[in-house]
Amino acid sequence: MPAITADTLTLPRVTGPTPSDTERPVRSITTGPRGYEGEGFPVVRAFGGVSAAALDPFIHMDQMGEIEYQPGEPRGTDWHPHRGFETVTYMIDGRFAHQDSHGGGGLITDGATQWMTAGSGILHIETPPAELVDSGGLFHGVQLWVNLPKKDKFAAPKYQSIEGGEVKLLASDDGGALVRIIAGDVDGQAGPGATHTPITLAHATIEPGARLNLPWNRDFNALVYVLSGRGSVGPVGRSIEQGQLAVFGPGDRITVDAGGSQDSNRPALEVLLLGGKPIREPVFQYGPFVMNSKSEIIEAMDDFNAGRFGSIPPNALRPHSTS
């Protein structure tokens, strides 16, 4: 980890703070509980124990893996519906195949992202390809759910494939950190992801002892999730480690420091940086549906049962088993 690397000495550098900039304080650090998703693949529920108001416009995030599968062990999800939000699947290591009922699909691998706008309703599947199931191997990724405002809940479904080489790359001012911007804007540099809800999503690798200090949109909330390694966050350096989420208060900049020593199998601090403009609308979630009211959830279930989310393609992907 990670799949996409670069020589930070050749990249644009993040600008330093101005005298008027304020550091965002850390409001909370929580540890995500572990569980299983889909056909039985292990996840960390990154947002577990955090209030919906602090997360808005994000709904849910799973860290999938990091796990070294034996042959026959890889698992994914079977066909299932979504309505009212966007799913973002970012693959750091390994491969995940995607297909949906509106013609989207492909193989997500090595730093690539698939961005699916469920909108009015869609069916999709995410599953390890047959060759990975047969051979086993390293699997590590993230799935994020981004809420849609009421005006966009019934937007036309859409699929974006963002290859790893398409992300915008930046270096910290000291060159000790690499930032991959997947969507949104960091310091005037924009990632390729097109979003209905204004957000920023980035993945940073911070070398031992290095510091990442980033400007952050004052109108956005700010979250830092540790994928791997250990370090500290915020102006007073609160300790944080793998599987933990930091929620920041208001301000102009975010600070993340990597610990001076890391484990040999995790040589750097790896973090996801997330933020978005809060929607501040009622949220009613029932499984794969995220709407504004209970009646809209009932409507979503009725529409799904009536086949209004599209049809599973004739030669559809199916979860592969070696048995």
Side-chain angles (χ1 to χ4, degrees):
M1 184 174 73
I4 301 302
T5 59
D7 181 359
T8 57
L9 298 179
T10 65
L11 295 175
R13 299 292 180 95
V14 174
T15 57
T18 67
S20 61
D21 283 346
T22 57
E23 287 284 330
R24 285 181 175 244
V26 176
R27 282 184 167 166
S28 67
I29 294 178
T30 52
T31 302
R34 296 183 178 272
Y36 291 89
E37 188 55 80
E39 299 288 299
F41 60 90
V43 297
V44 177
R45 308 289 192 191
F47 292 164
V50 183
S51 72
L55 298 172
D56 187 13
F58 305 111
I59 298 292
H60 170 85
M61 188 168 78
D62 280 341
Q63 180 181 8
M64 306 180 295
E66 173 182 10
I67 184 170
E68 183 73 39
Y69 279 124
Q70 297 301 308
E73 287 185 342
R75 298 286 186 270
T77 67
D78 209 335
W79 284 90
H80 59 283
H82 287 303
R83 172 180 279 181
F85 64 103
E86 298 184 294
T87 68
V88 182
T89 305
Y90 173 50
M91 285 305 299
I92 300 166
D93 287 299
R95 290 157 284 163
F96 227 21
H98 168 93
Q99 190 178 24
D100 66 50
S101 56
H102 287 260
L107 189 65
I108 320 162
T109 185
D110 296 338
T113 302
Q114 69 96 353
W115 202 294
M116 189 184 77
T117 303
S120 60
I122 200 167
L123 307 175
H124 83 142
I125 183 175
E126 289 175 308
T127 187
E131 61 271 19
L132 179 63
V133 177
D134 290 338
S135 67
L138 186 60
F139 183 85
H140 189 200
V142 172
Q143 183 165 101
L144 172 69
W145 291 11
V146 185
N147 198 12
L148 290 171
K150 186 177 181 65
K151 66 181 181 65
D152 292 328
K153 289 286 188 189
F154 287 86
K158 179 182 176 183
Y159 178 82
Q160 300 173 67
S161 176
I162 304 169
E163 296 302 320
E166 296 174 346
V167 301
K168 186 67 177 180
L169 301 179
L170 288 176
S172 58
D173 59 356
D174 65 359
L178 171 65
V179 181
R180 308 161 191 81
I181 309 170
I182 300 167
D185 177 280
V186 175
D187 200 24
Q189 304 290 329
T195 70
H196 281 272
T197 304
I199 70 164
T200 294
L201 171 62
H203 170 199
T205 300
I206 310 170
E207 297 300 323
R211 165 172 289 188
L212 177 62
N213 180 265
L214 282 178
W216 205 253
N217 190 327
R218 285 190 68 92
D219 295 332
F220 285 12
N221 62 354
L223 312 169
V224 169
Y225 177 75
V226 180
L227 295 163
S228 180
R230 54 180 173 268
S232 60
V233 288
V236 297
R238 291 186 60 179
S239 295
I240 195 167
E241 61 184 21
Q242 183 175 6
Q244 292 187 319
L245 177 80
V247 176
F248 290 77
D252 301 295
R253 301 183 73 90
I254 295 172
T255 296
V256 185
D257 292 278
S261 63
Q262 303 287 336
D263 295 340
S264 59
N265 62 332
R266 295 180 174 85
L269 176 63
E270 305 279 352
V271 299
L272 276 186
L273 306 149
L274 307 98
K277 188 173 183 179
I279 297 173
R280 297 193 176 96
E281 292 177 352
V283 174
F284 278 76
Q285 179 185 352
Y286 182 79
F289 310 126
V290 181
M291 304 303 291
N292 295 115
S293 67
K294 183 178 179 180
S295 64
E296 290 174 334
I297 293 292
I298 295 171
E299 179 186 8
M301 295 174 66
D302 289 345
D303 286 348
F304 166 61
N305 290 328
R308 300 189 185 106
F309 282 25
S311 301
I312 297 175
N315 298 315
L317 283 172
R318 296 291 182 181
H320 177 72
S321 173
T322 56
S323 59

